[in-house]
């Protein structure tokens, strides 16, 4: 077993998107090679309806795939191809924008006014940038959940894990997307394919992701250039944990347990030309997309 080191932990940053949706961004619009094939990750969580009800009105996408995972409330969506629907608590949608789509996403709170969900952007390789758009809507009841003897629970949204496969398939990044809960005081090691980039996003409780320099979890500190560095700091709510290479990650749950998304995917390693919701390989392709938007030829595919 080769334990993945923790390269970095950082808090998600408050920002606004759409028509004034208050959210926290774990990464995005910076170095696209950092977590290749993933480009952006947003945590849209709020209990103030005025901070999310204006939603994300009509906007374009090309060259990427987006996965939306709803925990509380719902998200109504519609697109330029005539698709409409609503994602409820526990539901997932994977949208392949491909050659181009215009869509809108309008969050609604639950009975208490709470809204919580995540959106992840995954890049498409050059060979699939102009593929036909498609949606995969998955109800929460279709997502397998594994409960281990120590109380660890894993929902397998995409990919395969511990003998179960998630219901979303045919994704270019061939990702693994897991919703993991580890009970208080439990230490858990989870396998991750060696050849994938991987990160965790903590959104409930706290946990220490054990450093490779401390595989037993016994050491609390080490020295780096003469300075003490705590390698067992607990990662709490809205924390991104970026991992190095290896075939597993280990987490020690804190006093309230820890719940996090564990996401990995095969890097594409291609040039990225990126402007807002459009991600291509070259500036020329990006400029063509903008021309298509201006002259009404952005949508290339119908049903």
């Amino acid at each position: 077993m080769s334990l993945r080191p923790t390269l970095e932990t950082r808090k998600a940053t408050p920002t606004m998107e759409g028509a004034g949706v208050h959210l926290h961004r774990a990464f995005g619009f910076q170095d696209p090679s950092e977590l290749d094939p993933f480009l952006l990750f947003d945590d849209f969580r709020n209990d103030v309806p005025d901070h999310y009800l204006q939603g994300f009105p009509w906007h374009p996408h090309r060259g990427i795939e987006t996965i939306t995972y709803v925990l509380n409330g719902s998200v109504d969506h519609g697109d330029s191809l005539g698709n409409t629907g609503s994602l409820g608590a526990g539901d997932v949608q994977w949208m392949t924008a491909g050659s181009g789509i215009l869509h809108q996403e309008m969050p609604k709170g639950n009975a208490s006014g709470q809204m919580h969900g995540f959106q992840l952007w995954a890049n498409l390789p050059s060979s699939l940038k102009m593929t036909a758009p498609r949606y995969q809507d998955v109800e929460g009841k279709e997502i397998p959940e594994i409960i281990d003897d120590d109380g660890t629970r894993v929902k397998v949204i995409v990919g395969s894990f511990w003998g179960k496969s998630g219901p979303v398939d045919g994704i270019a990044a061939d990702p693994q997307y897991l919703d993991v809960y580890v009970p208080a005081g439990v230490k858990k090691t989870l396998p991750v394919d060696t050849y994938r980039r991987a990160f965790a996003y903590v959104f409930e409780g706290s946990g220490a992701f054990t450093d490779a320099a401390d595989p037993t979890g016994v050491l609390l500190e080490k020295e780096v250039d003469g300075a003490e560095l705590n390698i067992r700091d607990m990662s709490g709510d809205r924390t991104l944990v970026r991992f190095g290479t290896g075939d597993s990650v280990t987490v020690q749950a804190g006093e309230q347990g820890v719940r996090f998304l564990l996401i990995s995917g095969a890097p594409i390693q291609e040039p990225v030309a990126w402007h807002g919701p459009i991600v291509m390989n070259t500036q020329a392709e990006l400029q063509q997309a903008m021309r298509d938007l201006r002259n009404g030829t952005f949508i290339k595919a119908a049903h």
Side-chain angles (χ1 to χ4, degrees):
M1 183 180 70
S2 172
L3 190 64
R4 285 179 177 250
T6 299
L7 297 181
E8 179 188 19
T9 61
R10 65 176 184 243
K11 287 287 189 179
T13 304
T15 188
M16 281 200 296
E17 282 292 354
V21 178
H22 294 240
L23 51 82
H24 283 72
R25 177 159 293 153
F27 63 88
F29 298 108
Q30 293 172 328
D31 179 3
S33 67
E34 181 180 74
L35 283 165
D36 179 18
F38 306 115
L39 297 164
L40 175 145
F41 182 87
D42 283 343
D43 177 349
F44 51 97
R45 179 190 335 184
N46 217 296
D47 56 7
V48 180
D50 286 347
H51 288 178
Y52 60 77
L53 283 178
Q54 296 304 309
F56 306 91
W58 293 98
H59 59 280
H61 283 293
R62 177 179 285 182
I64 64 171
E65 300 184 279
T66 67
I67 183 170
T68 305
Y69 178 29
V70 178
L71 293 184
N72 272 315
S74 62
V75 177
D76 293 342
H77 65 89
D79 69 33
S80 53
L81 303 180
N83 298 306
T84 60
S86 181
L87 301 176
D91 295 350
V92 174
Q93 179 192 82
W94 198 293
M95 182 195 75
T96 303
S99 60
I101 202 164
L102 298 171
H103 78 156
Q104 65 173 352
E105 299 157 301
M106 306 303 289
K108 294 181 178 179
N110 60 17
S112 301
Q114 297 168 324
M115 177 68 217
H116 191 190
F118 307 106
Q119 188 166 92
L120 173 71
W121 292 10
N123 201 5
L124 281 169
S126 56
S127 59
L128 294 175
K129 287 288 188 190
M130 299 298 286
T131 193
R134 70 166 181 154
Y135 281 90
Q136 294 183 69
D137 284 353
V138 177
E139 294 185 1
K141 64 184 180 182
E142 299 177 49
I143 297 171
E145 183 175 36
I146 307 163
I147 303 177
D148 208 2
D149 293 342
D150 59 10
T152 297
R153 299 197 306 265
V154 180
K155 293 183 179 181
V156 186
I157 296 169
V158 186
S160 297
F161 188 78
W162 285 347
K164 298 284 187 179
S165 294
V168 180
D169 61 8
I171 307 305
D174 188 25
Q176 185 181 63
Y177 190 123
L178 309 175
D179 178 347
V180 181
Y181 169 74
V182 180
V186 171
K187 184 177 181 181
K188 198 69 178 176
T189 297
L190 306 167
V192 180
D193 187 282
T194 306
Y195 299 102
R196 297 169 183 260
R197 296 270 172 79
F199 70 91
Y201 182 76
V202 178
F203 62 94
E204 286 181 14
S206 63
F209 289 84
T210 308
D211 193 285
D214 179 22
T216 65
V218 173
L219 301 177
L220 295 181
E221 295 177 338
K222 63 180 179 180
E223 281 200 357
V224 178
D225 296 329
E228 289 186 342
L229 174 66
N230 189 335
I231 61 174
R232 296 295 309 284
D233 280 344
M234 289 285 176
S235 294
D237 186 22
R238 293 193 176 107
T239 299
L240 173 75
V241 183
R242 192 163 59 89
F243 301 109
T245 56
D247 60 17
S248 61
V249 301
T250 294
V251 61
Q252 172 71 57
E255 294 179 356
Q256 286 79 45
V258 63
R259 189 175 177 190
F260 58 95
L261 303 179
L262 181 59
I263 299 175
S264 61
I268 295 173
Q269 297 179 317
E270 291 182 349
V272 172
W274 186 356
H275 181 75
I278 299 172
V279 184
M280 305 304 288
N281 292 107
T282 67
Q283 287 298 316
E285 292 169 341
L286 201 55
Q287 290 162 8
Q288 182 61 55
M290 297 304 172
R291 284 194 294 271
D292 290 346
L293 273 173
R294 289 194 298 270
N295 63 26
T297 59
F298 187 78
I299 305 303
K300 305 294 184 183
H303 286 292

